[in-house]
């Protein structure tokens, strides 16, 4: 889901990926958002995740720097 205009949607969709997680007795997802502009040596990746096992969930976020 992108709440910006059409230009923002196109820009963000190029670097965004969604992965499904499956673990023993739980499931969830990871969303990664890669920087697609600038020097490749200094680009970052943001990660958002949630692993769900009702009635609880473990969710968080992180950043990986300098992907090259």
């Amino acid at each position: 889901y992108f709440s910006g205009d059409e230009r923002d949607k196109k820009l963000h969709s190029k670097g965004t990926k969604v992965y499904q997680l499956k673990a023993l007795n739980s499931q969830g997802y990871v969303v990664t958002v890669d920087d697609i502009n600038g020097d490749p040596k200094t680009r970052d990746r943001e990660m958002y995740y949630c692993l769900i096992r009702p009635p609880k969930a473990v969710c968080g976020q992180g950043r990986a720097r300098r992907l090259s």
Side-chain angles (χ1 to χ4, degrees):
Y1 171 75
F2 296 107
S3 61
D5 61 19
E6 286 300 315
R7 181 181 164 275
D8 285 344
K9 288 180 186 179
K10 289 179 183 177
L11 180 65
H12 289 296
S13 66
K14 290 179 184 178
T16 302
K17 296 181 182 167
V18 179
Y19 303 93
Q20 184 176 4
L21 296 176
K22 290 186 180 181
L24 188 61
N25 298 324
S26 61
Q27 61 183 352
Y29 62 90
V30 173
V31 178
T32 62
V33 182
D34 291 353
D35 287 342
I36 58 173
N37 293 324
D39 185 353
K41 294 179 182 178
T42 61
R43 292 183 188 173
D44 295 345
R45 173 178 289 147
E46 293 179 67
M47 295 167 275
Y48 304 90
Y49 63 89
C50 212
L51 192 57
I52 304 160
R53 181 179 176 189
K56 299 180 182 181
V58 174
C59 301
Q61 67 183 50
R63 179 176 288 262
R65 298 197 173 258
R66 301 182 190 262
L67 296 177
S68 62

